[in-house]
Amino acid sequence: MSKLRVGILGATGTVGQRFVQLLEDHPQFEVTALAASDRSQGKTYSEACAWRLPGEMPGYARAMRVEAPQPPLHCDLVFSSLPGGMARETEGAFARAGFPVISNSSAYRMDEDVPLLIPEINHEHLKLLDAQRAKNSSGGYIVTNPNCSTIMIALALAPLDARFGLEAVVVTTLQALSGAGYPGVPSLDATDNVVPFIEHEEEKIEEETQKILGVMRGERVEHAPIKLSAQVHRVNVTEGHMAAIRVKLARRAALEEVKDALTSFTSLPQELKLHSAPAQTIIVREERDRPQPRLDRDAGRGMTVTVGRLLPDKVLDFRFVALSHNTIRGAAGAAILNAELLAATDRLKH
Amino acid sequence: MSKLRVGILGATGTVGQRFVQLLEDHPQFEVTALAASDRSQGKTYSEACAWRLPGEMPGYARAMRVEAPQPPLHCDLVFSSLPGGMARETEGAFARAGFPVISNSSAYRMDEDVPLLIPEINHEHLKLLDAQRAKNSSGGYIVTNPNCSTIMIALALAPLDARFGLEAVVVTTLQALSGAGYPGVPSLDATDNVVPFIEHEEEKIEEETQKILGVMRGERVEHAPIKLSAQVHRVNVTEGHMAAIRVKLARRAALEEVKDALTSFTSLPQELKLHSAPAQTIIVREERDRPQPRLDRDAGRGMTVTVGRLLPDKVLDFRFVALSHNTIRGAAGAAILNAELLAATDRLKH
Amino acid sequence: MSKLRVGILGATGTVGQRFVQLLEDHPQFEVTALAASDRSQGKTYSEACAWRLPGEMPGYARAMRVEAPQPPLHCDLVFSSLPGGMARETEGAFARAGFPVISNSSAYRMDEDVPLLIPEINHEHLKLLDAQRAKNSSGGYIVTNPNCSTIMIALALAPLDARFGLEAVVVTTLQALSGAGYPGVPSLDATDNVVPFIEHEEEKIEEETQKILGVMRGERVEHAPIKLSAQVHRVNVTEGHMAAIRVKLARRAALEEVKDALTSFTSLPQELKLHSAPAQTIIVREERDRPQPRLDRDAGRGMTVTVGRLLPDKVLDFRFVALSHNTIRGAAGAAILNAELLAATDRLKH
Amino acid sequence: MSKLRVGILGATGTVGQRFVQLLEDHPQFEVTALAASDRSQGKTYSEACAWRLPGEMPGYARAMRVEAPQPPLHCDLVFSSLPGGMARETEGAFARAGFPVISNSSAYRMDEDVPLLIPEINHEHLKLLDAQRAKNSSGGYIVTNPNCSTIMIALALAPLDARFGLEAVVVTTLQALSGAGYPGVPSLDATDNVVPFIEHEEEKIEEETQKILGVMRGERVEHAPIKLSAQVHRVNVTEGHMAAIRVKLARRAALEEVKDALTSFTSLPQELKLHSAPAQTIIVREERDRPQPRLDRDAGRGMTVTVGRLLPDKVLDFRFVALSHNTIRGAAGAAILNAELLAATDRLKH
């Protein structure tokens, strides 16, 4: 069967480049359109894009002509990593024009009828697409993935919430530079420094996590009644977000049970053997000094969350440190996994 | 009046070098003895010591001969930054030989009759010296300062504990490389990386803070009944420890009250105008992206704690980020301030 | 005698902030006007300027109102660190309006009648001001300082050229991030990386050095006939440019002679005891692993060039490594020293 | 045909770990013995080795027992990355005991009858093995690869020497932290810093290059009469050595010819299709800001040298910047390529 044709909105940005890289030789998707902002339009991708990822720009993309990010594009679905400002209007236009929009942008994440999807956690939320379909008969719709640090946090929390119930979560992040895109964080803020601020990030972690871990009540998602506190920091790491997490559970649990819940976590993407799904979603390491960004970010080809330093906590119940690759599991890889789930459940069409 | 003569134990190490630097031109202390481990003994300080601080080695120290760290030394008191292994025996020997030992080492910090002193917080703990005197009639004694991150954390907590009462504290640190000394952290662990582990550090923060904030009950310190949780990380910063802190207070407080408690915090060192005491112990910054190590570590010549991002917290009551210079306020500067308090209260003699 | 009143053009930029910092409590100059681009005008300096230097913004500047960078300003002279694009027009306008313009910008550096001044090297070039005066009777004029790495290179070369003659120079730089201003170099280009390119920098080093080391022939500077090759790199250092330098001399010299030429280099700024002149312009260190940016950039309050690894070379004659503070000796400090020389030689008036 | 059995001497070090990683699933070699110093012996590799490379320790090695580095070992040849001190004695012992020793250590590199082999450049030097055989009838011998930066430099120079003749070479390196092993460079020397010193490195680059580019005269290598000057620096980069190189050619050449010589460079490893040989040994990039360590070190799976900024030079003839992966092409990968050449030319036996 032929591959689904894919357009990438925001193709020249940091996450856009990850889409281009991860979709090379993808078994189900073939990139047929690249779109970006004014400056790039009309140029070839190799002219328009200052490639910032290790390794060469994939050959397939080099000569492709960059188009305007507006429908129609010659494709069956679009991935979007448009910047906040223009994402809402553009993604909405594509959805109304009949395109499934698999978005990494924040514009629609908290909309009531838009799934904030992590396939391992809340694939039931896809039911929200019925509500979108009711308003938009074109066949188009929007599915979003969470913020880069929220995905990792939610993945580490989901098995604990499922088995023990979560009452409160205290998260302190140490986030990588690539999360801010390019040029992003000025080097004078990064070198020999930490910045304890990322705009809107604390709010996103607190709110998005409650939606992700929420359950379907009829037609809508009831947000999880978990108390959440996030303090965020930008540290001098190229790739790999880290979060120090404490949890208060609804029921008493032994450390070994908590560990088992994390380690044994497996879900629909693994059952369906989705192409980008890692064999193991969460790895728990026993070494006392792991996870570390440089050593662990590429676990599961960037799609696995590594947990370490799992210990009892003196204020809440347990604590641990989680780490994952912020531009793969936290962005482009997340969106691609979402699309793979949509394809596997017959929600994408040629 | 002539200056008190000072010996430095561990003079060639990272903290020892800070002692040598900070004591240059000190109005009350004059360095008359430098002691370090075997390899250095008999050499001049400039031969023995690979000076790693910005700026030149102070001229006064260059030609001084490095001695063995054993009593007697030609001085009235000793500062110690000996490594853990040998600190207990050596510092004890100096105290028994009649020397006041002002120690930055961890060996005696948790001993029942040893003050774990931060002059702004618990100068009453100096009463413990009576117990030492009861056992040791030589005139010698030991006073310690806390671990480098604990000092900053305790300073930020003390005014809140005093005004509102503290029930629980959740601390997540991002600590500088210099805290591990030299050679210390291998660069391959620091560059493009974070290490979520520092040996014994989480325990030290949790235990030492309870002692520091404890109150004298008769002859001993009753540790503060505050629940404490610490998660620690080593980040790629040369100097300046940072801590993301949440607090649960014993009574309801408004954000402005919390801010006022921090900002207005002043104590004995300021009253006594101790040479190393900062005009303001805690600065609260309003900018949304402060404190930052590179910009704020030198506040108050390295003796001020900078607090920022003070906000209500959704799990505990308030949260903020604290930062201070880990080898000045967190080590050598702390010990010198302790000695200044001892001098000002007639506990040091020629 | 009252101080000369100073305006700063480009006051909110990285170098502008250094001017504001270094001019606090200056014995001869008092800042009376701050000017910057559109966005800042009308705001107070503390509102307009995101202060990026360690330590607080000087109190004197906080409430000053930022003005447009156009004459007249309420001052006796202006320092300029305007960006390339607008420097030429604006600085010219100030000079024509009667203001001495002490510029750190590149716009006029290579103009025939503009001194490219390093007071230790080529104070005779101030004779070029006669030519400016001939064209511009307003009393205004322009004096420039070289590019940040060129200053250091020229200072290290000047005593060798004077004593032995220079035939060829091969320079390879490792330059600090602050040289690019703020936001400047994106952190993803700096962390775990080196960028072997800085726009126009290789040309500037090659051309400016020839002018600086040139001699007055009548009314003009005859550029030095030295062959120069520069390769430049941006490395992950906040402050402190480094250059690996090889030299071919016109006459045979012993290593000790070369060292002596560097060490004994002293000149007019030292004779005149200019406020910002370092006691020693060049320090030669003997340790095999110096100079290092973090340890040596602040030598002579940032105005001294530190040289190390002075050795015979197998292709040219000698080699060494030079280092200096790129935003002090390499920018704001250089311009201030230039102004101090102008004041000391009666070229500045109230 | 069955694989050759391989032992690794120094298996727990940084380069040893690269051997273990690169030999996983190698088509010709199978690791059957791991040897390291006292502390590790008797432990399993997973117990003995703190794995510092991104990704997991290969499964095949985990349960292998670490042995003493002395003959005999159960294998057909040994790779050695022993530290300098013990390499000479141990490697000699293995050679005398009949083992081909493919060494990354410096101990034997400059020995008259030991090839300092880069298969693309000087495979004729393998004739030196005759001399070894004359002294050692056991069948054992020693083949070395050059120092990590020398390999890259020699590879970039070889095609120029072959086509134009080289008279003089001026090299300035910016070398990665991993070149010093682990723990290696202290982080306080690396962060916000450059160290202009690596022990013996300048001498190695100068001497080894002359041997590598030398030609066989009868039984021995006549070193190339090229004048070489090296200045070396350690910069804050995890992997990827960079060198700024100027060359003076024996005959006049156009820039395009120089570029063509580099780009078209191909040799025996490519003809023999050796497993680790890159398709293209040297890539010349046209972008003005390349090569960069983070973007280019993995070219050709770490075996390609990337050249950029190729320009005419004002002192010598041409200049450029070269970059390659220092622990792959510069160490373990180099030794493995050497072994592949030995196998392909029937110099390794079961």
Side-chain angles (χ1 to χ4, degrees):
Chain A
M1 193 178 126
S2 70
K3 293 183 182 181
L4 287 156
R5 297 166 308 162
V6 162
I8 300 173
L9 310 181
T12 57
T14 304
V15 174
Q17 294 184 24
R18 278 280 178 209
F19 277 121
V20 168
Q21 183 189 62
L22 295 174
L23 291 169
E24 189 179 17
D25 302 323
H26 193 283
Q28 295 164 283
F29 303 122
E30 177 184 20
V31 178
T32 55
L34 299 172
S37 63
D38 295 356
R39 246 179 349 159
S40 303
Q41 291 162 25
K43 298 181 186 167
T44 63
Y45 189 63
S46 69
E47 289 162 359
C49 173
W51 188 256
R52 310 306 310 172
L53 298 180
E56 291 287 321
M57 179 184 286
Y60 81 82
R62 299 190 68 81
M64 288 179 68
R65 197 62 62 178
V66 178
E67 303 176 65
Q70 55 197 35
L73 287 177
H74 182 71
C75 58
D76 301 311
L77 69 150
V78 296
F79 288 110
S80 168
S81 60
L82 290 168
M86 65 184 303
R88 190 154 186 98
E89 188 179 326
T90 304
E91 295 182 0
F94 272 94
R96 286 189 300 275
F99 290 85
V101 178
I102 320 298
S103 173
N104 179 58
S105 301
S106 62
Y108 285 93
R109 283 184 197 148
M110 298 304 292
D111 272 35
E112 271 220 335
D113 55 5
V114 174
L116 185 53
L117 181 66
I118 302 178
E120 278 95 339
I121 300 179
N122 62 3
H123 39 83
E124 305 88 351
H125 292 196
L126 286 174
K127 213 183 154 200
L128 294 179
L129 296 183
D130 296 345
Q132 287 193 48
R133 226 169 280 131
K135 293 187 211 155
N136 171 8
S137 60
S138 71
Y141 57 82
I142 298 174
V143 168
T144 63
N145 58 265
N147 161 281
C148 49
S149 46
T150 306
I151 295 180
M152 165 180 71
I153 293 162
L155 277 166
L157 294 179
L160 306 184
D161 193 37
R163 186 157 340 165
F164 313 107
L166 280 173
E167 293 198 342
V169 178
V170 169
V171 176
T172 310
T173 69
L174 299 90
Q175 298 186 220
L177 302 165
S178 60
Y182 185 89
V185 181
S187 54
L188 286 174
D189 288 345
T191 300
D192 193 14
N193 209 26
V194 172
V195 179
F197 176 72
I198 301 171
E199 193 154 23
H200 303 315
E201 190 84 358
E202 296 178 349
E203 297 85 339
K204 284 179 187 170
I205 294 172
E206 293 173 0
E207 294 168 10
E208 292 182 11
T209 304
Q210 291 173 327
K211 177 170 177 179
I212 296 163
L213 296 179
V215 292
M216 291 300 300
R217 296 284 180 225
E219 304 295 297
R220 49 184 291 281
V221 173
E222 186 177 289
H223 291 203
I226 302 167
K227 286 197 285 185
L228 264 147
S229 159
Q231 280 181 301
V232 301
H233 304 80
R234 186 77 72 188
V235 295
N236 193 10
V237 163
T238 59
E239 300 265 13
H241 282 358
M242 184 182 266
I245 300 177
R246 278 97 162 179
V247 292
K248 187 169 169 44
L249 305 180
R251 74 162 175 85
R252 190 176 288 266
L255 185 68
E256 280 307 309
E257 286 181 276
V258 173
K259 190 185 156 186
D260 179 68
L262 293 168
T263 306
S264 65
F265 182 54
T266 187
S267 178
L268 193 57
Q270 283 74 36
E271 288 166 40
L272 296 175
K273 295 187 191 302
L274 299 183
H275 175 69
S276 302
Q280 201 166 349
T281 298
I282 300 173
I283 290 175
V284 178
R285 296 196 71 107
E286 302 289 342
E287 301 93 326
R288 66 186 190 174
D289 63 353
R290 300 286 280 269
Q292 294 180 22
R294 209 164 65 79
L295 302 181
D296 295 307
R297 60 193 168 204
D298 293 324
R301 288 172 302 147
M303 291 296 284
T304 288
V305 174
T306 300
V307 165
R309 296 201 60 68
L310 176 59
L311 289 166
D313 188 67
K314 292 187 177 149
V315 174
L316 286 82
D317 292 329
F318 292 96
R319 68 195 194 204
F320 55 90
V321 174
L323 181 139
S324 83
H325 198 297
N326 56 294
T327 62
I328 300 181
R329 174 57 97 158
I336 293 172
L337 186 65
N338 283 355
E340 290 167 0
L341 178 63
L342 294 166
T345 55
D346 283 327
R347 290 179 170 100
L348 295 177
K349 303 212 161 52
H350 286 267
Chain B
M1 192 177 127
S2 70
K3 294 183 183 179
L4 287 157
R5 297 165 307 162
V6 162
I8 300 173
L9 310 182
T12 56
T14 304
V15 174
Q17 295 184 22
R18 278 281 179 210
F19 276 121
V20 169
Q21 184 188 63
L22 295 174
L23 290 170
E24 189 179 18
D25 302 321
H26 193 283
Q28 295 164 280
F29 303 122
E30 177 185 16
V31 179
T32 55
L34 298 172
S37 62
D38 295 356
R39 244 179 351 163
S40 303
Q41 292 164 22
K43 299 182 187 167
T44 63
Y45 189 62
S46 70
E47 289 161 359
C49 173
W51 188 256
R52 310 309 307 173
L53 298 180
E56 290 287 322
M57 178 184 288
Y60 81 82
R62 299 190 67 83
M64 288 179 69
R65 195 66 55 180
V66 177
E67 303 176 65
Q70 54 197 38
L73 287 177
H74 182 71
C75 59
D76 301 312
L77 68 150
V78 295
F79 288 110
S80 168
S81 61
L82 291 168
M86 66 184 302
R88 190 152 185 101
E89 188 180 324
T90 303
E91 295 182 359
F94 272 94
R96 285 189 302 274
F99 290 86
V101 178
I102 320 299
S103 173
N104 179 57
S105 301
S106 62
Y108 284 93
R109 281 183 199 149
M110 298 305 291
D111 272 33
E112 270 221 336
D113 55 6
V114 174
L116 185 53
L117 181 65
I118 301 178
E120 278 96 339
I121 300 178
N122 61 2
H123 39 84
E124 304 90 352
H125 291 198
L126 286 174
K127 215 187 152 198
L128 294 179
L129 296 183
D130 297 345
Q132 287 192 48
R133 226 170 279 134
K135 293 187 214 158
N136 172 7
S137 61
S138 70
Y141 57 81
I142 298 174
V143 168
T144 63
N145 60 264
N147 160 282
C148 50
S149 46
T150 307
I151 296 180
M152 164 180 74
I153 293 162
L155 277 167
L157 294 179
L160 306 184
D161 192 38
R163 191 167 323 175
F164 313 108
L166 278 175
E167 293 198 343
V169 178
V170 170
V171 176
T172 310
T173 70
L174 299 89
Q175 298 186 219
L177 301 166
S178 60
Y182 184 87
V185 182
S187 54
L188 287 173
D189 288 346
T191 300
D192 193 14
N193 208 25
V194 171
V195 178
F197 176 72
I198 301 170
E199 192 153 25
H200 303 315
E201 190 84 358
E202 297 179 348
E203 297 84 339
K204 284 178 187 170
I205 294 172
E206 293 173 0
E207 292 167 12
E208 293 183 10
T209 304
Q210 290 172 328
K211 176 169 177 180
I212 297 162
L213 296 178
V215 292
M216 289 303 298
R217 296 284 181 225
E219 303 295 297
R220 49 184 292 280
V221 173
E222 185 176 292
H223 292 202
I226 301 166
K227 286 196 283 185
L228 264 146
S229 159
Q231 280 181 302
V232 301
H233 303 80
R234 186 77 71 188
V235 296
N236 192 11
V237 164
T238 59
E239 300 265 14
H241 282 358
M242 184 182 266
I245 299 177
R246 278 96 162 179
V247 293
K248 185 166 169 48
L249 304 179
R251 74 161 177 85
R252 190 176 287 267
L255 185 67
E256 280 306 309
E257 285 181 276
V258 173
K259 189 183 158 187
D260 179 69
L262 293 168
T263 305
S264 65
F265 182 55
T266 186
S267 178
L268 193 56
Q270 284 74 33
E271 286 165 41
L272 297 174
K273 295 189 191 304
L274 299 182
H275 176 67
S276 302
Q280 201 166 350
T281 299
I282 300 173
I283 291 174
V284 178
R285 297 197 71 108
E286 303 288 341
E287 301 93 327
R288 64 184 192 175
D289 63 353
R290 300 289 278 268
Q292 294 180 22
R294 208 164 68 79
L295 301 181
D296 295 307
R297 59 193 168 203
D298 293 323
R301 290 171 303 147
M303 291 296 285
T304 288
V305 174
T306 302
V307 165
R309 298 203 57 69
L310 176 59
L311 290 166
D313 188 68
K314 291 186 177 151
V315 173
L316 286 82
D317 292 330
F318 291 96
R319 69 196 194 203
F320 55 90
V321 174
L323 182 139
S324 84
H325 198 298
N326 54 296
T327 62
I328 300 180
R329 174 55 98 160
I336 293 171
L337 187 64
N338 283 355
E340 291 167 0
L341 178 63
L342 293 167
T345 55
D346 282 327
R347 291 180 169 99
L348 294 178
K349 304 214 159 51
H350 286 268
Chain C
M1 192 178 127
S2 70
K3 294 183 182 181
L4 288 157
R5 297 165 308 163
V6 162
I8 300 173
L9 311 181
T12 56
T14 304
V15 174
Q17 295 183 22
R18 278 280 179 210
F19 276 121
V20 169
Q21 183 188 63
L22 295 173
L23 290 169
E24 187 178 19
D25 302 322
H26 193 282
Q28 296 166 282
F29 302 121
E30 175 184 20
V31 179
T32 54
L34 299 172
S37 62
D38 295 357
R39 246 179 349 159
S40 304
Q41 292 163 23
K43 298 181 186 167
T44 63
Y45 189 62
S46 69
E47 290 162 358
C49 173
W51 187 257
R52 309 308 308 172
L53 298 180
E56 291 287 322
M57 178 183 287
Y60 81 82
R62 300 190 67 82
M64 288 179 67
R65 196 64 60 181
V66 178
E67 303 176 64
Q70 55 196 36
L73 287 176
H74 182 71
C75 58
D76 301 312
L77 68 150
V78 296
F79 288 110
S80 168
S81 60
L82 291 168
M86 66 184 302
R88 191 155 185 98
E89 188 178 327
T90 303
E91 295 182 0
F94 273 94
R96 284 189 301 275
F99 290 86
V101 178
I102 321 299
S103 174
N104 179 58
S105 302
S106 62
Y108 284 94
R109 283 183 197 148
M110 298 305 292
D111 272 35
E112 271 220 335
D113 55 6
V114 174
L116 185 53
L117 181 65
I118 301 178
E120 279 95 339
I121 301 179
N122 62 3
H123 39 83
E124 304 88 351
H125 292 196
L126 286 174
K127 214 184 152 198
L128 294 179
L129 296 183
D130 297 345
Q132 288 193 47
R133 225 170 280 135
K135 293 187 212 157
N136 172 7
S137 60
S138 71
Y141 57 83
I142 298 174
V143 168
T144 63
N145 60 264
N147 160 282
C148 49
S149 46
T150 306
I151 295 179
M152 165 180 72
I153 293 162
L155 277 167
L157 294 179
L160 306 184
D161 193 36
R163 190 164 328 171
F164 313 107
L166 279 174
E167 293 198 343
V169 178
V170 169
V171 176
T172 310
T173 69
L174 299 90
Q175 298 185 221
L177 302 165
S178 60
Y182 184 88
V185 181
S187 54
L188 287 173
D189 288 345
T191 299
D192 193 14
N193 208 25
V194 172
V195 178
F197 175 73
I198 302 170
E199 192 153 25
H200 303 314
E201 190 83 358
E202 296 179 349
E203 298 84 338
K204 284 178 187 170
I205 293 172
E206 294 174 359
E207 292 168 9
E208 293 183 9
T209 304
Q210 291 172 328
K211 177 170 178 180
I212 296 162
L213 297 178
V215 291
M216 290 302 299
R217 296 285 180 224
E219 305 295 298
R220 48 185 292 282
V221 173
E222 187 177 288
H223 291 203
I226 302 166
K227 285 196 284 184
L228 265 148
S229 159
Q231 281 181 299
V232 302
H233 304 80
R234 186 76 73 188
V235 295
N236 193 9
V237 163
T238 59
E239 300 265 14
H241 281 359
M242 184 183 266
I245 300 177
R246 279 97 162 178
V247 292
K248 188 168 166 46
L249 305 178
R251 75 161 175 86
R252 189 176 289 265
L255 185 67
E256 280 308 308
E257 286 182 276
V258 174
K259 189 184 158 189
D260 179 69
L262 293 168
T263 306
S264 64
F265 181 55
T266 186
S267 179
L268 193 56
Q270 283 74 35
E271 288 165 40
L272 296 175
K273 296 188 190 304
L274 300 182
H275 175 69
S276 304
Q280 202 167 348
T281 298
I282 300 174
I283 290 174
V284 178
R285 297 196 71 107
E286 303 288 341
E287 301 94 326
R288 66 185 191 175
D289 63 353
R290 301 286 280 267
Q292 294 180 21
R294 208 163 67 79
L295 301 181
D296 296 306
R297 60 193 168 203
D298 292 324
R301 288 171 303 148
M303 290 297 283
T304 288
V305 174
T306 301
V307 165
R309 296 201 60 68
L310 175 59
L311 289 166
D313 188 68
K314 291 187 177 151
V315 174
L316 285 84
D317 292 329
F318 292 96
R319 68 195 193 203
F320 55 90
V321 174
L323 182 139
S324 84
H325 198 298
N326 55 295
T327 62
I328 300 181
R329 174 56 97 159
I336 293 171
L337 186 66
N338 283 354
E340 290 167 0
L341 178 63
L342 293 166
T345 55
D346 283 327
R347 289 180 169 100
L348 294 177
K349 305 214 158 52
H350 287 268
Chain D
M1 192 177 126
S2 70
K3 294 183 182 180
L4 287 157
R5 297 165 309 161
V6 162
I8 300 173
L9 310 181
T12 56
T14 304
V15 175
Q17 295 184 23
R18 277 281 179 211
F19 276 121
V20 168
Q21 183 187 63
L22 295 173
L23 290 169
E24 188 179 19
D25 303 321
H26 193 284
Q28 295 164 280
F29 303 123
E30 176 185 18
V31 179
T32 54
L34 299 172
S37 62
D38 295 355
R39 245 178 350 160
S40 302
Q41 292 163 22
K43 298 182 188 169
T44 63
Y45 189 64
S46 70
E47 289 161 0
C49 173
W51 187 256
R52 310 309 307 173
L53 299 180
E56 291 287 323
M57 178 184 288
Y60 81 84
R62 299 189 68 81
M64 287 180 69
R65 195 66 56 181
V66 177
E67 302 175 65
Q70 54 197 39
L73 287 176
H74 182 70
C75 60
D76 301 313
L77 69 150
V78 295
F79 288 110
S80 168
S81 61
L82 291 168
M86 65 184 304
R88 190 153 185 99
E89 189 180 324
T90 303
E91 295 182 358
F94 273 94
R96 286 189 300 275
F99 290 86
V101 177
I102 319 300
S103 174
N104 179 58
S105 301
S106 62
Y108 284 94
R109 281 182 199 149
M110 297 305 290
D111 272 34
E112 271 221 336
D113 55 6
V114 174
L116 185 52
L117 182 65
I118 301 177
E120 279 96 339
I121 301 178
N122 62 2
H123 39 83
E124 304 89 351
H125 292 198
L126 286 174
K127 214 186 152 200
L128 293 179
L129 296 183
D130 297 345
Q132 288 193 46
R133 227 168 279 136
K135 292 187 215 159
N136 172 7
S137 61
S138 71
Y141 57 82
I142 299 174
V143 168
T144 63
N145 60 263
N147 160 282
C148 50
S149 47
T150 307
I151 296 179
M152 164 180 73
I153 294 162
L155 278 167
L157 295 179
L160 306 183
D161 193 37
R163 188 160 335 169
F164 312 107
L166 279 174
E167 293 197 344
V169 178
V170 170
V171 176
T172 310
T173 69
L174 299 89
Q175 299 186 219
L177 302 166
S178 59
Y182 184 89
V185 181
S187 54
L188 287 173
D189 288 345
T191 299
D192 193 14
N193 208 25
V194 171
V195 179
F197 176 71
I198 302 170
E199 193 154 22
H200 303 314
E201 189 84 357
E202 296 179 348
E203 298 83 338
K204 284 178 187 170
I205 294 172
E206 294 174 1
E207 293 167 11
E208 293 182 10
T209 304
Q210 290 173 327
K211 177 170 177 180
I212 296 162
L213 297 179
V215 291
M216 290 302 298
R217 294 285 181 226
E219 303 296 298
R220 48 186 292 282
V221 174
E222 186 176 289
H223 291 202
I226 302 166
K227 286 196 284 186
L228 265 147
S229 158
Q231 280 181 302
V232 301
H233 303 78
R234 186 77 71 188
V235 295
N236 192 11
V237 164
T238 59
E239 301 263 15
H241 281 359
M242 183 182 267
I245 299 177
R246 279 96 161 178
V247 293
K248 186 167 169 46
L249 304 179
R251 74 163 177 84
R252 190 176 288 267
L255 184 67
E256 280 306 310
E257 286 180 275
V258 173
K259 188 183 157 187
D260 179 68
L262 292 167
T263 306
S264 65
F265 182 53
T266 187
S267 179
L268 193 57
Q270 284 73 34
E271 286 166 40
L272 296 175
K273 296 188 191 305
L274 299 182
H275 175 67
S276 303
Q280 201 165 350
T281 299
I282 300 173
I283 291 174
V284 178
R285 298 196 70 108
E286 303 288 341
E287 301 93 327
R288 65 185 190 175
D289 63 354
R290 300 288 278 268
Q292 294 181 21
R294 207 164 68 77
L295 302 181
D296 295 308
R297 60 192 168 204
D298 293 323
R301 289 171 303 148
M303 291 295 285
T304 288
V305 174
T306 301
V307 165
R309 297 202 58 69
L310 176 59
L311 290 166
D313 187 69
K314 291 186 177 151
V315 174
L316 285 83
D317 292 329
F318 292 96
R319 70 195 193 202
F320 55 89
V321 174
L323 181 139
S324 84
H325 198 298
N326 54 296
T327 61
I328 300 181
R329 174 55 98 160
I336 293 171
L337 187 65
N338 283 355
E340 290 167 0
L341 178 63
L342 293 167
T345 56
D346 283 326
R347 290 180 170 100
L348 294 177
K349 304 216 156 53
H350 286 268

